[in-house]
Amino acid sequence: MFARHLSLLDYRSWPAAEVPLQPGVNVLIGRNGTGKTNLVEALGYLATLSSHRVATDAPLIRRGAERAVVRAAVVSDDRELLLEIEINNGRANRARINRAPLTRAHDLLGVLRTVLFAPEDLALVRGDPAERRRFTDDLLIMRAPRMAGVRADYDRVLKQRNALLKTAGLARRGGGELATLDVWDEHLAAAGAELVQARLALIAEIRPHVAAAYADLAGAGDAVGLVYRGTVPLPDGDPVTDVVGANPDDVPRPGIDTVRESMLAELIRVRQHELDRGISLVGPHRDDLELVLGDGPAKGYASHGESWSFALALRLGSFALLRSDGVDPILVLDDVFAELDTTRRDRLATLVADAEQVVMTAAVPDDVPEVLGGVRLSVTDDSVSSEV
């Protein structure tokens, strides 16, 4: 899979932009502040319908404009598709494929696959659990777009259940009725069990890819692992944590009914605490993906170089997993080489050189190892030209 052309209209700093792309390596070179990151962010948005930099869509629309449009010609299996997303402020976004409108913007998910690494990814190692939950769920949805609906259902039920917990807590003090909470427990456990089981399966699959990528980047040193820290105790223990190097096919995973029943039991156990606090304390919204370096957690202990290597390994592991599905995703690297020492630069260049398409940004040409070759595009404040 590769993008042949990227077009922007009123996206971020760009009133308009036309970016010609080719298979292989494409390097967008320009001084800081020219909008290079906005270009690769837009490409990633077409794949995920979200930005890696902001939580809402409003900042993506150029100041003074009513909407932004991102369009890309994408080639996959010798077939070209024109993908388009119209980002609206205060209204639902609209998506098209080959100019034909889709019923929902989310129907665009899964058509374009990208793996984007950016400086913000350091938060995967050093940041809050929400960063790692988002990493896991975004990858889930890219592989199985229907999981977007599962996550949306869970978020909707969670919001309604939290509202009920707040009012029920007050009602309880006045002798109010709490029976409705049992119904929402069932809904939360049903959606939550599907999301948890999918996460467990994904982590079992991606773990060896992440470990291999980290070893390739960092060379000899501590091994890495991924541990799912769930709020729902499972009868057979956590099926992801047993052995760092285990074959995922050899690791048992609980059935969805087991996860649902375990979640319901835990919700009953903690109900008193939930009523006291007015929030849901059990479920995938409170789970974490612990990153293990050597014998302990990477967070708080990994050096700057180790943290960068681990964050990169998560993205490269994602790339390898998506590639194993039969389609090469587009690999996007935003200002990555400037943060790496010479050894890690060379190792990363070797790892990405055989990707069907790599789109990367750099402030100066010298930041990009010569071994990558490919096409250099010059980015200025108002244009993108074909050669530096």
Side-chain angles (χ1 to χ4, degrees):
M1 175 178 290
F2 66 92
R4 184 182 59 77
H5 196 90
L6 174 68
S7 301
L8 306 185
L9 177 66
D10 288 328
Y11 185 92
R12 291 279 199 180
S13 61
W14 292 96
E18 301 293 336
V19 186
L21 298 168
Q22 296 184 15
V25 176
N26 301 258
V27 186
L28 306 176
I29 297 176
R31 60 178 177 78
N32 293 331
T34 54
K36 303 185 302 297
T37 293
N38 296 342
L39 297 173
V40 295
E41 177 193 38
L43 187 61
Y45 189 94
L46 262 181
T48 64
L49 301 186
S50 64
S51 163
H52 68 286
R53 301 156 72 193
V54 292
T56 64
D57 286 348
L60 307 180
I61 302 173
R62 191 171 65 90
R63 190 168 298 176
E66 295 184 356
R67 60 172 189 163
V69 177
V70 180
R71 187 181 298 116
V74 176
V75 179
S76 181
D77 294 329
D78 297 324
R79 179 188 178 197
E80 181 167 306
L81 298 173
L82 183 64
L83 311 182
E84 180 181 311
I85 184 73
E86 178 184 299
I87 305 168
N88 294 300
N89 194 0
R91 296 182 292 118
N93 295 341
R94 296 191 293 182
R96 299 177 181 84
I97 297 180
N98 291 339
R99 307 290 184 183
L102 302 179
T103 304
R104 304 172 306 163
H106 275 71
D107 292 339
L108 196 63
L109 290 171
V111 180
L112 172 64
R113 290 185 169 194
T114 66
V115 173
L116 189 152
F117 181 84
E120 289 83 357
D121 280 341
L122 202 59
L124 291 175
V125 182
R126 297 181 171 179
D128 295 333
E131 301 286 348
R132 293 177 287 278
R133 288 194 296 267
R134 178 181 174 182
F135 162 78
T136 305
D137 291 347
D138 284 352
L139 184 55
L140 267 180
I141 291 168
M142 192 168 295
R143 298 185 77 202
R146 74 172 191 83
M147 291 304 299
V150 174
R151 189 173 68 175
D153 287 345
Y154 181 83
D155 290 342
R156 175 182 53 81
V157 173
L158 177 66
K159 182 178 180 180
Q160 293 173 317
R161 187 176 185 274
N162 282 342
L164 179 61
L165 282 170
K166 291 176 183 178
T167 58
L170 296 173
R172 179 193 54 175
R173 299 182 186 99
E177 179 61 57
L178 301 178
T180 308
L181 192 56
D182 291 334
V183 177
W184 287 110
D185 284 359
E186 291 282 352
H187 290 315
L188 192 74
E194 189 169 2
L195 188 54
V196 167
Q197 189 193 43
R199 286 178 179 176
L200 292 175
L202 176 72
I203 292 165
E205 286 188 83
I206 196 176
R207 189 174 56 188
H209 294 295
V210 173
Y214 185 88
D216 288 337
L217 280 170
D222 291 327
V224 300
L226 307 177
V227 178
Y228 192 79
R229 298 297 187 193
T231 51
V232 178
L234 299 176
D236 297 326
D238 187 338
V240 181
T241 65
D242 296 338
V243 183
V244 168
N247 184 333
D249 294 332
D250 297 334
V251 179
R253 286 186 291 276
I256 194 167
D257 289 339
T258 299
V259 180
R260 181 181 59 80
E261 291 167 6
S262 298
M263 187 169 173
L264 278 172
E266 189 67 6
L267 286 169
I268 293 171
R269 189 185 73 81
V270 302
R271 175 171 289 189
Q272 181 68 44
H273 298 295
E274 291 188 327
L275 288 168
D276 290 340
R277 296 182 59 181
I279 57 172
S280 300
L281 300 175
V282 173
H285 65 288
R286 295 181 68 90
D287 294 352
D288 192 8
L289 175 62
E290 182 181 348
L291 309 181
V292 179
L293 179 63
D295 296 328
K299 183 177 180 179
Y301 294 91
S303 68
H304 184 72
E306 289 170 335
S307 297
W308 265 95
S309 294
F310 210 144
L312 258 173
L314 288 170
R315 295 302 186 188
L316 292 174
S318 301
F319 177 80
L321 181 61
L322 290 170
R323 175 182 267 187
S324 72
D325 292 338
V327 178
D328 261 27
I330 299 170
L331 186 59
V332 182
L333 304 174
D334 183 23
D335 200 23
V336 171
F337 289 100
E339 294 288 341
L340 301 176
D341 58 39
T342 302
T343 300
R344 283 184 169 86
R345 283 187 188 186
D346 292 341
R347 286 174 176 165
L348 177 58
T350 300
L351 290 174
V352 306
D354 68 338
E356 186 168 0
Q357 186 174 52
V358 183
V359 181
M360 63 180 68
T361 69
V364 294
D366 289 344
D367 284 346
V368 183
E370 292 184 5
V371 66
L372 284 177
V375 176
R376 300 314 196 246
L377 306 174
S378 177
V379 181
T380 61
D381 290 328
D382 56 6
S383 67
V384 181
S385 58
S386 297
E387 287 289 343
V388 175

